[in-house]
């Protein structure tokens, strides 16, 4: 069964509360998502491999650690996942970025794929899938399935807010994928929106409604 990490850091909780407020505008919403994504990176990458290297400081030669192992790939689910890319890239600037375009059919709530472009060497990378909202889990589960079909198997999922239904879906469909969320909310409403949530993440990020 995959691990679920819920961030309880006061800075993250504070920033997320401002994002939830319906009176928070696009610009601030985008900035906050960027900041929270950056803060989440620390924990999401805690288990990355390091190796001992020799460095000469101005004082002496010493042994110290640097990242080793698989390089990172970041895969935002379009469109709202785009809002998490810059925050993560500011800490992992060498990461390659793939994109998966999915939208939820408003009637069936089923995900429809319209775009997929992954780094050429994605199968040799540690992949971090990004989407602010994990509601029914249909979109994230489908995205992970597409990624696995391309022979990639080191995948972790990072969301801002998840509903229990979404967590359950990912754990059932992809028990090998660990999930990192800033908040685990109560449930979904009849339209598949997270309660209390923050509304439609894509619309709030890009000002489309
Ligand atoms: C939202 C969100 C997720 C999905 C979550 O995207 O960003 O991708 O819904 O819902 P699910 O867990 O029930 O699949 P949406 O389909 O609204 O597309 P958008 O990002 O283009 O706005
Ligand atoms: N997608 C969103 O953007 N928000 C929700 O609450 C559910 C799905």
């Amino acid at each position: 069964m995959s691990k679920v990490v819920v961030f309880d850091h006061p800075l993250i909780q504070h920033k997320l509360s401002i994002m939830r407020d319906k009176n928070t505008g696009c610009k601030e919403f985008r900035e906050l998502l960027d900041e929270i994504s950056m803060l989440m990176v620390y924990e999401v990458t805690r288990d990355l491999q390091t190796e001992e290297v020799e460095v000469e400081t101005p004082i002496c030669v010493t042994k110290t650690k640097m990242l080793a192992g698989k390089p990172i790939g970041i895969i935002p689910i379009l469109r709202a996942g785009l809002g998490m890319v810059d925050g993560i890239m500011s800490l992992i600037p060498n990461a390659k970025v793939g994109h998966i375009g999915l939208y939820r059919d408003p009637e069936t709530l089923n995900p429809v794929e319209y775009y997929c472009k992954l780094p050429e060497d994605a199968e040799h990378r540690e992949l971090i899938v990004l989407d602010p909202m994990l509601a029914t889990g249909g979109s994230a589960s489908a995205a992970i399935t597409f990624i696995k079909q391309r022979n990639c198997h080191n995948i972790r999922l990072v969301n801002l807010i998840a509903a229990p239904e979404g967590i359950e879906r990912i754990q059932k469909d992809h028990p090998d994928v660990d999930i990192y969320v800033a908040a685990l909310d109560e449930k979904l409403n009849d339209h598949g929106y997270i309660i209390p949530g923050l509304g439609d993440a894509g619309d709030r990020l890009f000002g489309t409604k």
Side-chain angles (χ1 to χ4, degrees):
M1 180 68 84
S2 64
K3 174 174 78 173
V4 180
V5 178
V6 183
F7 291 79
D8 57 0
H9 195 286
L11 275 178
I12 293 183
Q13 294 310 313
H14 177 85
K15 289 173 190 291
L16 179 56
S17 299
I18 303 173
M19 290 185 77
R20 288 184 191 274
D21 187 335
K22 67 175 186 183
N23 296 312
T24 298
C26 259
K27 177 173 178 288
E28 199 180 358
F29 189 91
R30 267 198 308 274
E31 289 167 355
L32 289 163
L33 182 56
D34 191 52
E35 290 167 14
I36 294 177
S37 306
M38 198 186 319
L39 291 169
M40 290 175 83
V41 175
Y42 285 102
E43 205 52 45
V44 174
T45 55
R46 181 173 286 283
D47 63 348
L48 290 188
Q49 277 178 36
T50 55
E51 66 183 1
E52 209 168 59
V53 296
E54 212 173 68
V55 168
E56 188 173 359
T57 76
I59 312 298
C60 67
V61 173
T62 185
K63 287 205 166 38
T64 183
K65 288 188 175 164
M66 291 190 81
L67 284 175
K70 291 183 198 302
I72 306 282
I74 298 173
I75 307 182
I77 301 179
L78 305 180
R79 30 179 198 153
L82 288 176
M84 302 177 80
V85 172
D86 286 352
I88 298 203
M89 290 292 278
S90 54
L91 290 186
I92 317 176
N94 292 330
K96 294 268 169 68
V97 185
H99 295 87
I100 291 195
L102 289 174
Y103 67 87
R104 265 196 338 177
D105 183 293
E107 300 297 321
T108 64
L109 300 184
N110 287 328
V112 182
E113 185 195 2
Y114 61 88
Y115 187 76
C116 183
K117 179 87 181 168
L118 302 186
E120 230 168 41
D121 59 352
E123 77 231 55
H124 302 302
R125 291 180 176 266
E126 200 68 57
L127 298 176
I128 305 177
V129 176
L130 304 175
D131 196 328
M133 309 306 277
L134 184 68
T136 63
S139 305
S141 178
I144 293 167
T145 300
F146 296 141
I147 295 168
K148 286 183 173 172
Q149 281 165 355
R150 289 160 175 88
N151 213 19
C152 303
H153 296 284
N154 298 296
I155 303 167
R156 50 195 88 189
L157 174 65
V158 182
N159 308 111
L160 188 65
I161 301 181
E165 293 88 334
I167 297 275
E168 211 173 288
R169 173 77 186 267
I170 298 298
Q171 288 189 319
K172 177 171 154 286
D173 294 354
H174 303 288
D176 55 312
V177 173
D178 289 339
I179 309 167
Y180 298 83
V181 300
L184 182 52
D185 276 11
E186 210 179 305
K187 58 179 178 182
L188 298 178
N189 70 13
D190 293 342
H191 304 287
Y193 277 87
I194 299 176
I195 302 177
L198 49 68
D200 189 303
D203 284 337
R204 295 197 62 189
L205 262 177
F206 298 110
T208 36
K209 246 185 208 157

